Amino acid sequence: MKKILLIAAIAFASVASAQKGTILVAGSIGLSSSKGDNTTTENKFNNLNFSPKVGYQFTDHWTLGLDASISSQKSENTTTTSVGPGIVVVSSNEIKTTGFSAGPFARYTMPISETFNFFADMGFGFQSQKETVDNNNGFGTVTSTENKGDGIYVGITPAIFINVKKSFGLNVSIGGIGYETLNFDSPAPGVPGRDTNGFNFSFGQTINIGISKNF
């Protein structure tokens, strides 16, 4: 199992509770890194993402706005193989993936007490992805392929705001539910592109913690 070396998530400039006629500005930035190895294989993974959000709170409970997400991932796998006495072959596989998504969202906020607020973000929009794969077989042959795709997404993410002091506190979510599609270009003439689609159900599988402030 890969060990997580660093996970950092900062949500900023969010509104503690929905107030009619105010502007919501929010976002998150995250960085994660992992590494795993054994006697013959080494695996490395790095991920960076940034998700800004802005909206207008037109009632005490409802906010409408736009959000976006920019992500970058890099996965490296290196394998060392002995093919004979004193002969070692080192092969590698590197995958770089960049993604972008943007679309409208609606937020419903329900105060539970002076300390806790419940809110749910519901959004949909367009997304795109670019994947570059470099393979080195260890015998001097290097191949590179590039895949580009686009599609749509829709999702619901519930969360809890914990008011620490004067509308400053923590946003905590444990996943959500969504559906997304990605249709990739044809890699070569006459070869159909790869299409992916499906539901994502992550309740209880992930946890996101950020800070927020009502300005």
Side-chain angles (χ1 to χ4, degrees), residues 108-170:
Y108 180 79
T109 303
M110 174 62 69
I112 302 174
S113 67
E114 292 184 359
T115 304
F116 297 99
N117 287 332
F118 168 83
F119 68 87
D121 286 347
M122 299 154 280
F124 69 93
F126 165 85
Q127 63 177 353
S128 63
Q129 188 179 100
K130 178 182 176 181
E131 180 185 81
T132 302
V133 181
D134 295 318
N135 287 300
N136 184 340
N137 67 359
F139 294 97
T141 301
V142 179
T143 60
S144 180
T145 59
E146 184 178 275
N147 299 302
K148 296 181 180 179
D150 53 51
I152 61 172
Y153 70 91
V154 58
I156 301 175
T157 304
I160 293 290
F161 172 78
I162 304 173
N163 186 16
V164 177
K165 185 178 181 180
K166 295 182 178 180
S167 299
F168 174 83
L170 301 175

Side-chain angles (χ1 to χ4, degrees), residues 18-190:
Q19 296 181 357
K20 183 177 179 180
T22 60
I23 300 296
L24 169 71
V25 180
S28 65
I29 182 170
L31 172 67
S32 64
S33 178
S34 63
K35 180 180 179 180
D37 56 65
N38 53 40
T39 56
T40 60
T41 305
E42 180 181 74
N43 302 309
K44 296 180 181 179
F45 177 79
N46 295 284
N47 178 70
L48 175 66
N49 63 78
F50 173 61
S51 302
K53 179 176 295 189
V54 62
Y56 177 73
Q57 300 180 197
F58 62 95
T59 76
D60 289 339
H61 296 286
W62 285 100
T63 301
L64 289 179
L66 297 172
D67 62 8
S69 179
I70 302 170
S71 64
S72 176
Q73 297 179 350
K74 183 178 179 181
S75 174
E76 298 177 83
N77 302 306
T78 304
T79 302
T80 303
T81 306
S82 177
V83 296
I87 303 176
V88 176
V89 175
V90 179
S91 59
S92 63
N93 171 264
E94 182 179 273
I95 302 175
K96 296 179 181 179
T97 305
T98 57
F100 173 78
S101 64
F105 78 93
R107 170 176 291 189
Y108 180 79
T109 303
M110 174 62 69
I112 302 174
S113 67
E114 292 184 359
T115 304
F116 297 99
N117 287 332
F118 168 83
F119 68 87
D121 286 347
M122 299 154 280
F124 69 93
F126 165 85
Q127 63 177 353
S128 63
Q129 188 179 100
K130 178 182 176 181
E131 180 185 81
T132 302
V133 181
D134 295 318
N135 287 300
N136 184 340
N137 67 359
F139 294 97
T141 301
V142 179
T143 60
S144 180
T145 59
E146 184 178 275
N147 299 302
K148 296 181 180 179
D150 53 51
I152 61 172
Y153 70 91
V154 58
I156 301 175
T157 304
I160 293 290
F161 172 78
I162 304 173
N163 186 16
V164 177
K165 185 178 181 180
K166 295 182 178 180
S167 299
F168 174 83
L170 301 175
N171 293 321
V172 181
S173 68
I174 56 171
I177 185 171
Y179 177 81
E180 64 178 17
T181 67
L182 276 172
N183 302 316
F184 288 88
D185 297 338
S186 172

